Amino acid sequence: MTESQFKGEIMWPRLVANKLLRRPLFSNSFVGDFPSPSDPLSLSPDELISSKIGFAEEKQTHKFRLFASTWNVGGIPPSDDLNLEDWLDTKNNSYDIYVIGFQEVVPLSARNILGSEKSRISMKWSSLIRKTLNRISVSKSKEGKGANTFGCIISKQMVGILVSVWLRKWLLPFIHHPSVSCVGCGIMGCLGNKGSVSVRFLLHETSFCVVCCHLASGERQGDGMHRSSNAMEIFSRTIFPSGPALHLPRKINDHQRVILLGDLNYRISMPEDETRHLVLQKEWNVLLENDQLKVEIEDGAFKGWREGAINFSPTYKYHSNSDEYYGSLQGIKCKKKRAPAWCDRILWHGRGLNETRYDRCESKHSDHRPVRATFSVEVDVLINSNPTHESFFLSGRSHRIPYELKDLLLDGDDGDYDRDIN
């Protein structure tokens, strides 16, 4: 098979889908609470050069706290009074950045897969997250100006996959080059019932990439290889814009700090009865020796990625509104057998990420339990040799930052700037 024939076979399902839907498969646009600060992509070469003249620059490393979580919500919309405080850990701890990934925010029906995105439910999830993050932050904000409150810098949905990034508003002027990249791996190898939504942004001088995945499901022989094939497709097809002469990272692993989370759907390669028995005995080490994802991390699709130690029960599959695993309740017939598995995972790649916690939350909202991880993240901050009010801002262009955001930054809590975690 020639190279052109090979490319043709790959592109054919995508062309068919485009023809059927009469629209681009996925949009690169995204939503957020604020317009992004001025981006050098929109500046002329003269402006780029002049913005750097006269400054001898050096970098310092600062640490920030990052919270990441993934949750397959099973197509069940949130109630108006759904309490997210325990999940987001807002009562006992404080973080600078929140990275939230959902799967199945809408049911994976043909109408939702082939139709336009249903944003009403995703907006409801975002509203609940915003209310939860800011419930305590507002009371602690300096003089009520909101420097410690949170805003969403980027949010993107593809069918049931939804990813959003939230951070303290005083950090907003230091966010630049936000972008998204969607990869569909579902029906016909390209539709969005399975796949990934990846977001990219730079905080100060450090590049971040967050990949939210929903990989192929199933417990039959060969399904694990299908999941790994999905992952390889995501790594190869995810591409971000680099900009003229800016040399921004384009591929997932080109970024300095990478977090991959989602319903990766990997199972435990053991007979179902034996798996259930070992889960009851909490023999996690024995089960993890047969965990499909662990094999892929050692020498497979995820080689080079890292994951924290798993010391919690499998996160899938539960009976609705129950603590009992699917198929374990007597007298209740189940359509399909589903052995317990750690389907929901959080991995990371690159230096400067130090995981401080990896656990699950006990919400009974769906048949999955949410998984969360916290990190101490190193970020390179540009420091000018003659720092002034103007040069403290990104590229020395404070006049381009909206007045109200500049106000937040200058009046923010300076003590929160460098959050060393020992």
Side-chain angles (χ1 to χ4, degrees), residues 95-136:
Y95 306 93
D96 304 298
I97 305 168
Y98 282 81
V99 173
I100 308 296
F102 290 102
Q103 302 81 46
E104 296 190 45
V105 290
V106 295
L108 300 184
S109 63
R111 177 179 295 181
N112 288 330
I113 294 169
L114 296 174
S116 59
E117 305 294 359
K118 303 296 191 298
S119 61
R120 181 180 59 84
I121 295 177
S122 63
M123 289 174 63
K124 190 170 184 179
W125 278 110
S126 294
S127 177
L128 286 170
I129 292 171
R130 180 182 295 105
K131 185 193 308 181
T132 304
L133 294 182
N134 289 326
R135 184 174 291 127
I136 296 177

Side-chain angles (χ1 to χ4, degrees), residues 58-64 174 176 202-208 256-257 351-352 377-383 394 417:
E58 61 181 37
K59 294 179 182 179
Q60 291 183 355
T61 299
H62 293 261
K63 292 182 180 180
F64 296 89
F174 306 109
H176 51 120
L202 272 69
L203 174 56
H204 286 284
E205 303 301 308
T206 299
S207 60
F208 285 76
Q256 293 164 293
R257 315 284 184 262
R351 298 179 180 179
V377 184
E378 295 181 358
V379 172
D380 291 331
V381 177
L382 204 62
I383 303 297
L394 179 67
Y417 187 77

Side-chain angles (χ1 to χ4, degrees), residues 25-28 102-103 117 156-163 180-186 189-199 209-216 229-240 252 259-264 302:
L25 278 178
F26 310 114
S27 169
N28 288 327
F102 290 102
Q103 302 81 46
E117 305 294 359
K156 179 65 178 179
Q157 179 183 358
M158 180 185 74
V159 189
I161 301 173
L162 172 65
V163 62
V180 302
S181 180
C182 299
V183 173
C185 299
C190 64
L191 293 188
N193 56 307
K194 294 293 189 292
S196 68
V197 177
S198 301
V199 301
C209 182
V210 179
V211 186
C212 183
C213 300
H214 194 182
L215 305 185
S229 176
N230 284 173
M232 297 301 291
E233 281 279 296
I234 289 167
F235 293 143
S236 65
R237 289 167 50 194
T238 299
I239 300 177
F240 297 99
I252 290 172
I259 294 175
L260 185 147
L261 45 76
D263 180 1
L264 305 188
F302 291 94

Side-chain angles (χ1 to χ4, degrees), residues 148 155 204 209 255 269 275 289 293 298 316 345 358 371 389:
N148 278 327
S155 177
H204 286 284
C209 182
H255 294 77
S269 298
T275 298
E289 288 176 0
L293 180 56
E298 289 177 6
Y316 174 85
R345 313 286 275 266
Y358 191 33
V371 170
H389 167 80

Side-chain angles (χ1 to χ4, degrees), residues 124-418:
K124 190 170 184 179
W125 278 110
S126 294
S127 177
L128 286 170
I129 292 171
R130 180 182 295 105
K131 185 193 308 181
T132 304
L133 294 182
N134 289 326
R135 184 174 291 127
I136 296 177
S137 297
V138 168
S139 64
K140 294 181 179 180
S141 295
K142 190 173 183 179
E143 299 178 359
K145 292 193 175 184
N148 278 327
T149 58
F150 287 87
C152 178
I153 62 165
I154 187 168
S155 177
K156 179 65 178 179
Q157 179 183 358
M158 180 185 74
V159 189
I161 301 173
L162 172 65
V163 62
S164 59
V165 178
W166 304 73
L167 78 164
R168 295 188 183 277
K169 290 181 181 178
W170 72 272
L171 283 171
L172 183 63
F174 306 109
I175 294 290
H176 51 120
H177 304 318
S179 184
V180 302
S181 180
C182 299
V183 173
C185 299
I187 299 170
M188 296 191 295
C190 64
L191 293 188
N193 56 307
K194 294 293 189 292
S196 68
V197 177
S198 301
V199 301
R200 184 273 302 281
F201 63 93
L202 272 69
L203 174 56
H204 286 284
E205 303 301 308
T206 299
S207 60
F208 285 76
C209 182
V210 179
V211 186
C212 183
C213 300
H214 194 182
L215 305 185
S217 61
E219 297 184 354
R220 295 173 300 181
Q221 187 174 3
D223 287 337
M225 294 180 62
H226 192 186
R227 288 184 272 276
S228 297
S229 176
N230 284 173
M232 297 301 291
E233 281 279 296
I234 289 167
F235 293 143
S236 65
R237 289 167 50 194
T238 299
I239 300 177
F240 297 99
S242 62
L246 291 177
H247 305 296
L248 295 172
R250 301 197 70 199
K251 305 294 289 183
I252 290 172
N253 286 349
D254 293 341
H255 294 77
Q256 293 164 293
R257 315 284 184 262
V258 188
I259 294 175
L260 185 147
L261 45 76
D263 180 1
L264 305 188
N265 255 321
Y266 284 100
R267 309 305 168 94
I268 299 169
S269 298
M270 298 179 69
E272 181 182 351
D273 291 344
E274 188 176 355
T275 298
R276 290 184 182 276
H277 173 73
L278 291 171
V279 168
L280 287 174
Q281 300 299 317
K282 297 186 177 182
E283 295 285 351
W284 309 143
N285 290 336
V286 178
L287 290 164
L288 287 168
E289 288 176 0
N290 296 275
D291 178 76
Q292 293 175 352
L293 180 56
K294 291 296 185 184
V295 174
E296 294 298 315
I297 292 174
E298 289 177 6
D299 191 20
F302 291 94
K303 186 175 182 178
W305 289 78
R306 300 173 65 188
E307 182 182 25
I310 294 178
N311 295 307
F312 50 86
S313 301
T315 57
Y316 174 85
K317 171 180 171 79
Y318 285 89
H319 281 285
S320 178
N321 197 32
S322 170
D323 285 325
E324 299 296 331
Y325 284 107
Y326 192 76
S328 61
L329 291 177
Q330 293 184 354
I332 298 180
K333 293 183 178 180
C334 300
K335 295 181 180 179
K336 296 181 180 180
K337 290 187 176 182
R338 290 288 184 265
W342 287 283
C343 289
D344 311 277
R345 313 286 275 266
I346 301 176
L347 311 180
W348 76 94
H349 189 277
R351 298 179 180 179
L353 284 167
N354 177 33
E355 191 179 66
T356 54
R357 185 177 69 178
Y358 191 33
D359 63 6
R360 59 174 247 175
C361 187
E362 299 307 318
S363 173
K364 301 176 186 178
H365 179 81
S366 76
D367 56 353
H368 289 251
R369 295 295 186 261
V371 170
R372 57 194 180 181
T374 61
F375 298 88
S376 169
V377 184
E378 295 181 358
V379 172
D380 291 331
V381 177
L382 204 62
I383 303 297
N384 293 313
S385 61
N386 184 25
T388 64
H389 167 80
E390 289 290 319
S391 65
F392 183 76
F393 289 92
L394 179 67
S395 299
R397 294 190 298 272
S398 65
H399 64 284
R400 295 181 178 270
I401 298 174
Y403 178 80
E404 62 273 15
L405 295 180
K406 188 191 302 184
D407 224 14
L408 283 177
L409 177 66
L410 296 177
D411 291 331
D413 186 354
D414 294 336
D416 282 346
Y417 187 77
D418 188 2

